[in-house]
Each structure stands twice: as C-alpha cells, then as structure tokens.
Amino acid sequence: MTPPMQDHDSAELRPYQNGFRWDGVELRPYKQDDAAPYKAVSRQELFAHPALGCQLRYFEVAAGGYSTLERHEHVHAVMILRGRGQCLLADRVRDVKPFDLVTVPAWTWHQFRATAGEALGFLCMVNAERDRPQLPDEQTLAELRGRPEVAAFLAR
Ligand code: MN
C-alpha cells in the first residue's frame, strides 16, 4: 500500500502584519519588465505550490495609480481587500470595494485603477505557467474609448 504523500516542509503559517504585509513576504515591483505601462503598483507573492499550479499574489495600487491594461489567455480571480476604486472588465467599468470578487476570463481586457483617493489592494490568483499579456494597440484603445464610461476611466 502506498503511504500518503507527505509534504511537511511546505506547511507554514505566515502571520499577517499591519499595513497589508505578510511575514517573510518581499515587497516587489509590480512587473519585472517596465515595457508595459502602469503606475504606482506593488506586488507580494503570498503563495505558490507545485501541486496546485497557481500563485496567489497581493497587489496594491497607490491612490491615483493603475495596473496595466492588458489581456491574455490565462484567467484571474481577484478579491478586493482594501480601498475603493474601479476596474475595467471587457467594455464595462465597475466600482469595486473590499471583498468584491472579480473574475477576469480569458482574452478579456482588464485594468484596476485607484480612483477614490486611496490605495486599492487586491488578491489575485493566477496560473503559475501562463502566457504573456497583450497590450492594446491604438485601434483597440479607440474602440474601448468609444464607450464614454471607458473613455472617462482611461483618462483618470
Ligand atoms: Mn492580467
């Protein structure tokens, strides 16, 4: 009989610290490459495990900042943890607040903006192995701006 797989080495508790930090988790820049436009975003990698094939990150967008407007094949599950703001999801702009859950399906344009004068922080679950995000070209941007609410969002 095969014994149950044991993996005691990855058993851990990471205590929460004040200020949306977790014990032993490094505060990193949002993206490794600065080719994609974004403003005032930090990243903490909270969890990754090969058996799950996913990563759980915490991103924080400072007041007035924004994540990259992008789309990709991989999917995100996002849970807002702090602050208020807005997200662009496909061709709609949605207000978000703590504990709202946002599903970003494959190939859906998305961007998070801290538009309410305060930081916007959220958990994001994602595949560990994932495709590279695409950025919008000028034609795509023009199409998105065709909706007044999206134009206003992108201009903030
Ligand atoms: Mn994304």
Side-chain angles (χ1 to χ4, degrees):
M1 196 168 134
T2 310
M5 182 137 84
Q6 299 201 333
D7 180 24
H8 293 162
D9 285 349
S10 66
E12 65 179 346
L13 169 68
R14 283 194 187 281
Y16 174 71
Q17 302 173 341
N18 288 331
F20 292 87
R21 296 295 310 274
W22 286 264
D23 216 28
V25 178
E26 195 185 338
L27 188 66
R28 296 184 161 136
Y30 174 45
K31 291 196 171 174
Q32 307 290 9
D33 76 84
D34 282 331
Y38 67 91
K39 183 182 172 188
V41 187
S42 66
R43 169 174 60 107
Q44 295 177 71
E45 294 183 2
L46 300 178
F47 172 89
H49 194 290
L52 274 177
C54 72
Q55 296 175 353
L56 184 66
R57 301 89 49 87
Y58 174 76
F59 292 99
E60 196 165 288
V61 185
Y66 48 84
S67 65
T68 303
L69 172 56
E70 62 181 27
R71 69 175 184 178
H72 36 66
E73 185 173 27
H74 61 273
V75 170
H76 294 311
V78 171
M79 179 169 280
I80 309 298
L81 279 197
R82 93 175 277 191
R84 283 169 197 272
Q86 293 179 308
C87 72
L88 173 70
L89 197 56
D91 60 355
R92 291 193 63 192
V93 178
R94 310 296 300 268
D95 291 334
V96 291
K97 63 180 188 309
F99 313 117
D100 284 351
L101 182 61
V102 181
T103 300
V104 181
W107 300 116
T108 303
W109 294 110
H110 57 284
Q111 185 177 51
F112 289 83
R113 287 184 177 245
T115 51
E118 59 182 308
L120 177 67
F122 52 88
L123 295 172
C124 178
M125 189 167 70
V126 72
N127 308 70
E129 300 270 329
R130 55 189 183 269
D131 61 315
R132 210 177 156 76
Q134 288 183 1
L135 304 179
D137 59 17
E138 281 307 317
Q139 189 191 331
T140 301
L141 280 173
E143 285 168 13
L144 286 168
R145 288 194 191 104
R147 287 176 69 89
E149 67 181 74
V150 177
F153 171 86
L154 292 174
R156 282 202 172 102

